[in-house]
Amino acid sequence: ECDVPQDVAFSTLAMTGHGGCGLRDSDGIAECWGQAQLGEDRAPAVPLLSISASSAAVCGLEQDSRVLCWGRAEVVDATPTGLELLSVTTGGKHACGLLPDGTGICWGDNELHQAEIPDGTWTHLAAGYYFTCGRRESGDIECWGCITGMKDGNCTWEQATR
């Protein structure tokens, strides 16, 4: 059952593995619904500028551009404090953010190197379940982590550029 709140206008939505969250138009506070597995439905009651969700974690940027995450412990417990971010993206068990100088930072699970951002600057970051991709100013896309997919529970670490 997906108990989406009725009579609430949302400015943006982000889906988790078993539900979702939206930022209310009226005040920017996240409201979450669905069948939470790891606390991804326990949104803090603070206004957010943006929101990103993965299978069981949600992160948002507060009004001062600081990141706030809830849900899966691997993401929440490693969330950086005191950093100003331009954007945030959540993956399976990790999250990444774009810093004002164009560099990136990732936190959470790094078993498959998905949180190891190559040096340099980025214009956009997007986290997948076992991998992360970024766009360079040149337009080149680079991905790292398990980008070939899991086979029999195994993945060989790779880095690719297009």
Side-chain angles (χ1 to χ4, degrees), residues 10 17 23 30 35 43 48 56 67 92 100 113 117 121-122 128 131 139 143 145 153-154:
F10 294 104
L23 296 184
Q35 298 176 356
L48 300 172
V67 69
H113 305 276
I117 298 180
T121 59
W122 307 92
F131 63 97
C143 297
N154 297 310

Side-chain angles (χ1 to χ4, degrees), residues 32-33 46 70 108 121 131 133 145:
C32 300
W33 59 87
V46 298
W70 60 96
T121 59
F131 63 97
C133 294

Side-chain angles (χ1 to χ4, degrees), residues 123 135-141:
T123 60
R135 182 181 184 276
R136 299 279 190 185
E137 285 187 30
S138 66
D140 288 346
I141 305 294

Side-chain angles (χ1 to χ4, degrees), residues 10-26:
F10 294 104
S11 61
T12 190
L13 299 173
M15 298 297 105
T16 65
H18 303 279
C21 296
L23 296 184
R24 296 189 308 225
D25 271 347
S26 61

Side-chain angles (χ1 to χ4, degrees), residues 53-76:
S54 66
S55 60
V58 183
C59 293
L61 290 182
E62 294 184 73
Q63 299 294 319
D64 62 1
S65 297
R66 302 212 189 302
V67 69
L68 183 63
C69 297
W70 60 96
R72 186 180 285 278
E74 292 94 338
V75 174
V76 175

Side-chain angles (χ1 to χ4, degrees), residues 85-89 95-99 103-107 117 125:
L85 299 177
L86 298 176
S87 64
V88 64
T89 178
C96 300
L98 192 61
L99 295 159
T103 60
I105 182 172
C106 290
W107 59 94
I117 298 180
L125 296 173

Side-chain angles (χ1 to χ4, degrees), residues 110-114 129-131 144-159:
N110 191 37
E111 180 182 357
L112 299 169
H113 305 276
Q114 66 269 37
Y129 198 86
Y130 295 115
F131 63 97
W144 52 93
C146 181
I147 59 176
T148 57
M150 296 290 282
K151 288 187 179 181
D152 300 321
N154 297 310
C155 181
T156 304
W157 178 81
E158 266 189 68
Q159 186 172 344

